Amino acid sequence: MRVEQAKPLPPISGRGAPTNLRPTRTGSLAREADGDWLDLALDIDGAPPPLRTTVTAEHPKTIIARNTSPDIGFDRSINPYRGCEHGCVYCYARPTHAFHDLSPGLDFESRLFAKPDAAKLLRAELAKKNYDPAPLAIGTNTDGYQPIEREWGVTRSVIEVLAETRHPLLITTKSDRLLRDLDLLADMARDNLVGVAISVTTLDPKIARTLEPRAPHPRRRLAAIRALVDAGIPTQVNISPIIPAITDHEIEAIMAAAADAGAIRASYILLRLPHEVAPLFRAWLDAHYPDRADKVMHMVQDIRGGRDNDPDFFSRMKGRGVWAQLIRTRVKRAAREHGLDKSFPPIRSDLFRPPERDGQMELF
């Protein structure tokens, strides 16, 4: 697998990727501006025009994605969007944009796709005679509560169908925007139909501004944990990813803050750098942490068996070697100390009732 050499761009406020590299593993060809004078007319002061977020409506034929991964606790998920405006430079989902002939860099966080038919498609899939209910995850390859959800509302429309049909749901997000849907989630929680994980990578706003520039402030995420727990919704903190020599010193502090907010459990994932994420992350280190870039990557490679990334099941999440074991020990100890080592309440699947067909709810 080859990718273009990462060419750092001038810092772009509110964006995470320091490059817009194009991958070659999917046959994508490099592109460059043609130098037309009309392009230059937009650049009178010598600065590039502002990078605007664009959203394109996508109309897939199905909406539930299936997986058989043995190290993931669910076998189905829904991604209301493609790409994510939060701009987290470490996002393992960035390489998916390459299959649209778009860059996993800035394109991933600025050229987005929304699926306005998601609720309709979900209703049709749940109505199939052979559908067997099991927890469905939102927040796997894209955050369902990224900023564009405010206008598009795709995530809420999906949850409305799940609430109506009493279908089990798992949500992972790093946004407090999900509090808008507290009415639906609290209703589902009364029947043990929903569990939420709030991702907190760092408590330091300076790190967060470059690492995940358009995600809500860490303190807002902690406040969201408190609001969810107060509404009776089981909520855990997900320290993800833990980045050696950048955020790993915060493990215990994040655990303490999450426990104070009422979280009932903690989980973690070590930094993953699949495909184009590795050169993007290296460029980010060079831009923001040149003093320790080599140290960070040496630790990452030690955790990943000498490589930038380890794709193997189980070890891809927790890593191998001395550094991985040290982090694992610290996480377990802090979780035990702060009461975050409890089991997550079982999510029920036995209350599912198929959605309406021709205006009639299935009775049996």
Side-chain angles (χ1 to χ4, degrees):
M1 186 272 291
R2 295 184 301 112
V3 297
E4 289 182 11
Q5 183 178 357
K7 300 174 182 178
L9 299 169
I12 301 177
S13 178
R15 298 296 181 181
T19 73
N20 209 33
L21 76 166
R22 305 191 67 81
T24 58
R25 67 187 173 91
T26 57
S28 181
L29 300 177
R31 301 172 184 172
E32 56 185 59
D34 62 9
D36 189 278
W37 71 273
L38 290 176
D39 295 330
L40 297 177
L42 298 174
D43 195 15
I44 296 174
D45 296 325
L51 180 62
R52 307 290 187 187
T53 298
T54 64
V55 185
T56 301
E58 181 181 0
H59 300 283
K61 294 182 179 180
T62 61
I63 197 63
I64 297 179
R66 306 275 180 164
N67 78 82
T68 57
S69 301
D71 58 350
I72 296 178
F74 55 86
D75 67 357
R76 66 200 71 184
S77 60
I78 286 181
N79 293 300
Y81 305 101
R82 290 186 191 268
C84 185
E85 197 175 3
H86 283 158
C88 306
V89 70
Y90 52 74
C91 183
Y92 63 82
R94 282 182 176 273
T96 60
H97 246 47
F99 296 100
H100 298 275
D101 198 29
L102 295 172
S103 171
L106 288 171
D107 285 349
F108 177 81
E109 56 193 90
S110 63
R111 299 179 67 176
L112 311 178
F113 297 84
K115 304 175 185 179
D117 301 331
K120 178 181 177 182
L121 293 169
L122 176 61
R123 188 177 293 276
E125 293 191 46
L126 298 185
K128 293 179 178 178
K129 289 289 189 183
N130 61 348
Y131 182 78
D132 184 24
L136 189 153
I138 294 178
T140 54
N141 271 1
T142 183
D143 197 315
Y145 288 101
Q146 61 180 288
I148 61 172
E149 167 65 11
R150 182 173 54 249
E151 290 79 31
W152 286 80
V154 180
T155 300
R156 181 174 176 92
S157 68
V158 166
I159 296 176
E160 287 174 340
V161 174
L162 298 176
E164 172 194 328
T165 58
R166 315 315 287 169
H167 191 290
L169 168 65
L170 300 171
I171 296 175
T172 298
T173 182
K174 54 172 56 73
S175 177
D176 61 343
R177 294 182 184 89
L178 87 166
L179 297 181
R180 177 206 60 187
D181 298 337
L182 204 59
D183 57 331
L184 296 173
L185 300 178
D187 170 63
M188 296 179 73
R190 282 190 285 272
D191 287 334
N192 294 331
L193 292 171
V194 64
V196 175
I198 301 291
S199 296
V200 180
T201 312
T202 176
L203 299 177
D204 186 336
K206 291 182 180 179
I207 296 177
R209 273 197 298 271
T210 60
L211 192 63
E212 40 196 32
R214 296 202 177 188
H217 191 287
R219 293 295 173 187
R220 287 173 56 185
R221 300 180 220 174
L222 292 170
I225 292 175
R226 169 53 63 193
L228 290 163
V229 171
D230 287 348
I233 300 163
T235 306
Q236 70 176 37
V237 64
N238 186 17
I239 308 177
S240 173
I242 294 176
I243 305 175
I246 301 291
T247 66
D248 64 324
H249 67 284
E250 297 189 70
I251 291 173
E252 290 80 6
I254 294 173
M255 289 276 197
D260 287 344
I264 64 173
R265 181 176 168 79
S267 62
Y268 80 101
I269 297 175
L270 283 174
L271 177 69
R272 297 173 56 197
L273 299 176
H275 301 300
E276 293 85 9
V277 184
L280 280 173
F281 185 74
R282 286 177 177 273
W284 179 85
L285 282 174
D286 291 339
H288 298 286
Y289 293 95
D291 61 319
R292 69 186 86 167
D294 288 343
K295 175 182 178 181
V296 172
M297 289 310 303
H298 286 153
M299 293 176 71
V300 167
Q301 290 176 344
D302 183 79
I303 289 169
R304 298 303 179 187
R307 299 171 289 177
D308 284 353
N309 186 60
D310 173 9
D312 294 344
F313 291 130
F314 301 105
S315 61
R316 63 177 178 164
M317 302 295 186
K318 305 304 180 186
R320 315 171 194 255
V322 175
W323 287 112
Q325 181 59 46
L326 175 61
I327 289 173
R328 184 157 48 247
T329 299
R330 289 175 57 197
V331 168
K332 288 183 177 180
R333 180 180 299 169
R336 185 169 57 250
E337 178 182 347
H338 295 290
L340 295 175
D341 55 351
K342 306 179 184 71
S343 297
F344 212 62
I347 305 297
R348 297 182 65 177
S349 299
D350 60 311
L351 300 179
F352 174 70
R353 56 196 188 200
E356 293 184 359
R357 289 181 183 152
D358 302 322
Q360 297 266 337
M361 177 72 77
E362 288 283 320
L363 296 179
F364 305 103

